Amino acid sequence: MADVNRGNRPLSPHLRIYRPQLTSITSILTRITGNALLISSLLVVWWFLAAATSPEYFAVANGVLTSWFGDLVMTLSLWGLWYHTLAGVRHLIWDQGIGLDIETAYKMGYAVIGGSFVLTLLTIILI
């Protein structure tokens, strides 16, 4: 039998009704950082290829990557690498069936966010 109320029902939760949760935000951020790391790794590959091509071309690539913009991109990439790594560890823990309750999931989410910033700062300071 056909659903006569099909036109009156929402197809999905509307953005004004649905409140994003920490777990959904961190999941989306994990996907974004994974894709951003691909782009930044292409920049590093470009730098290596430029080094293998000629001194002039390497000077151009090195100038871009050592400029303020390159420093910003590489610092954000470093944060993305730490965030993506810690989020992956959190998912490995979840795959074991540990920490699936809401309270622990939120604690782990905050730990991933905070830990990524701390590890990024430590890496910048120590290297």
Side-chain angles (χ1 to χ4, degrees):
M1 181 173 205
D3 187 4
V4 292
N5 291 324
R6 176 179 279 177
N8 297 331
R9 292 182 300 147
L11 297 177
S12 63
H14 198 275
L15 294 176
R16 291 183 302 191
I17 298 170
Y18 180 74
R19 192 189 77 164
Q21 302 155 351
L22 181 65
T23 51
S24 63
I25 300 273
T26 55
S27 176
I28 292 167
L29 196 55
T30 302
R31 297 168 202 285
I32 290 171
T33 55
N35 289 312
L37 286 171
L38 174 66
I39 302 298
S40 63
S41 66
L42 290 175
L43 284 175
V44 173
V45 168
W46 172 59
W47 184 75
F48 280 128
L49 288 175
T53 302
S54 70
E56 296 81 21
Y57 192 52
F58 177 70
V60 172
N62 196 46
V64 170
L65 285 179
T66 57
S67 68
W68 69 269
F69 179 72
D71 286 342
L72 178 66
V73 168
M74 289 298 125
T75 302
L76 290 174
S77 297
L78 179 63
W79 173 79
L81 181 65
W82 279 120
Y83 178 86
H84 201 77
T85 300
L86 292 176
V89 169
R90 180 181 62 162
H91 277 277
L92 287 174
I93 293 170
W94 281 348
D95 288 344
Q96 299 300 315
I98 302 168
L100 296 175
D101 59 293
I102 294 174
E103 183 180 337
T104 306
Y106 267 70
K107 286 179 184 177
M108 289 170 66
Y110 287 124
V112 166
I113 293 169
S116 64
F117 283 110
V118 168
L119 288 171
T120 300
L121 288 174
L122 284 174
T123 305
I124 291 170
I125 290 169
L126 297 176
I127 292 181

